[in-house]
Amino acid sequence: MGKDSFSDGDDKKGANLFKTRCAQCHTLGEGEGNKIGPNLHGLFGRKTGQVEGFSYTDANKDKAITWKEDTLFEYLENPKKYIPGTKMAFGGLKKAKDRNDLITHLRNATK
């Protein structure tokens, strides 16, 4: 498992990480509403700042990257470093294994 790039992780561990670190601000299911953060259904392949009905910062909209495993791997380590000016109040996941597990779960749960 790479420390500097994404590799498939453990979906079950990722689900637990989502529940404890992300679910207070995000939903995953199609048609579920936005919370403090945007709904993440359809995340993979979507550009930053594109969820209808969610008020993004200009920094998030202007980043204009496409979410996929490698961009999420970098973003989730330190969101405010990856997108300076984001309003996401999350310090990040420093451990590569945790990011791999979470991204694997997000990829499966947001289709």
Side-chain angles (χ1 to χ4, degrees):
M1 185 179 331
K3 288 191 180 262
D4 296 323
S5 62
F6 174 78
S7 58
D8 285 333
D10 182 317
D11 185 291
K12 189 173 181 181
K13 288 180 181 173
N16 190 53
L17 277 167
F18 183 84
K19 185 173 139 190
T20 60
R21 305 292 300 274
C22 312
Q24 60 270 35
C25 296
H26 294 281
T27 57
L28 296 175
E30 184 174 13
E32 292 180 342
N34 297 319
K35 293 168 102 176
I36 293 168
N39 172 278
L40 299 178
H41 183 79
L43 173 67
F44 288 79
R46 182 168 69 212
K47 287 200 179 301
T48 55
Q50 300 297 308
V51 173
E52 194 172 319
F54 187 77
S55 177
Y56 289 96
T57 61
D58 287 341
N60 202 295
K61 290 185 271 192
D62 295 345
K63 184 71 175 182
I65 56 102
T66 299
W67 292 123
K68 52 190 178 190
E69 289 86 349
D70 63 335
T71 52
L72 284 165
F73 186 84
E74 189 176 347
Y75 175 72
L76 289 170
E77 182 176 18
N78 187 340
K80 289 187 182 297
K81 181 179 176 187
Y82 191 71
I83 303 180
T86 185
K87 63 183 175 183
M88 185 157 126
F90 175 65
L93 294 171
K94 303 309 176 212
K95 294 180 185 171
K97 182 187 181 325
D98 288 346
R99 294 195 310 276
N100 287 329
D101 292 345
L102 179 59
I103 292 165
T104 297
H105 176 65
L106 289 173
R107 187 178 59 200
N108 295 334
T110 61
K111 290 180 181 172

